[in-house]
Amino acid sequence: MAQHHGHLGAVYGAAGPQEVAALYDRWAETYESEMARAGYRHPAIGVALLARHLPRGARPLLDAGAGTGLLGEWLEIVGYPEVEALDISAGMLEVARAKGIYARCHNLPLGAALPFRDGAFAGIISTGVFTTGHVGAEALPELLRICRPGGVIVLTVKESLWQGGFAVALEAAVASGRAGLAEMTEPYVSMPGEPGTTPSRAVALRVTP
């Protein structure tokens, strides 16, 4: 596993959700500039997959793990007019809320029951969330539940999580008929400016009608 330093190393090494939230709260003001220096690729790759598989104008969308709203700004540009944000960090969401790009903001963690009705969202995108010390395959069932039939879910997944059980969970969801695999990228390095970054991959799922 890569050994990261600073804020990134701290959040990867967090002991649990409460510590993750507190660390991101403290990182919120400098998060975007630091990730830009790292050459952060997940948002661009996620938006590309979403635009390829979900029609322009589909609404509403959920940006799950929205952080400071980096990805939300791009979703509006490429034609998704109604997006809600969800994040475990209140501090990150405050930065996102100030941008005025989200219809609603939800300070909630992934991995437990979510307070949304079945099929609430036309599409869900979650980039940089399924990674070391953050969220694992336990969050997948709820995302499938709250995405409407025919909707699209785009996720980026750290390769260590993929090999550590996420791929099996995804295969089970597909085998059960809950979703189909619309696209999967080859493994790629999400932060080329951060030495030793473990590769990730991105997947697009279509919820079964």
Side-chain angles (χ1 to χ4, degrees), residues 44-173:
I45 291 170
V47 169
L49 262 64
L50 190 72
R52 190 144 62 216
H53 295 284
L54 187 67
R56 181 182 176 90
R59 62 200 307 174
L61 270 57
L62 180 66
D63 184 357
T68 58
L70 181 63
L71 188 145
E73 296 180 81
W74 299 355
L75 291 173
E76 185 176 33
I77 291 168
V78 299
Y80 300 110
E82 184 182 350
V83 184
E84 299 187 23
L86 178 150
D87 202 89
I88 193 172
S89 165
M92 299 286 269
L93 274 181
E94 280 303 309
V95 176
R97 186 179 287 110
K99 294 178 178 179
I101 55 175
Y102 290 111
R104 281 165 289 280
C105 293
H106 309 278
N107 183 201
L108 298 166
L110 290 174
L114 295 171
F116 307 116
R117 61 178 174 78
D118 293 358
F121 298 99
I124 298 170
I125 185 165
S126 186
T127 64
V129 176
F130 289 86
T131 188
T132 308
H134 287 53
V135 178
E138 72 279 358
L140 189 56
E142 274 293 272
L143 295 183
L144 289 167
R145 180 186 68 78
I146 64 174
C147 188
R148 71 183 53 155
V152 171
I153 301 174
V154 171
L155 310 172
T156 65
V157 185
K158 182 77 77 174
E159 194 68 8
S160 55
L161 265 69
W162 184 265
Q163 302 295 342
F166 193 94
V168 173
L170 183 57
E171 288 170 6

Side-chain angles (χ1 to χ4, degrees), residues 45-46 49 154-157 183-186 188 200-204:
I45 291 170
L49 262 64
V154 171
L155 310 172
T156 65
V157 185
E183 186 174 354
M184 179 169 63
T185 69
E186 293 296 321
Y188 62 91
S200 300
R201 65 181 71 202
V203 297

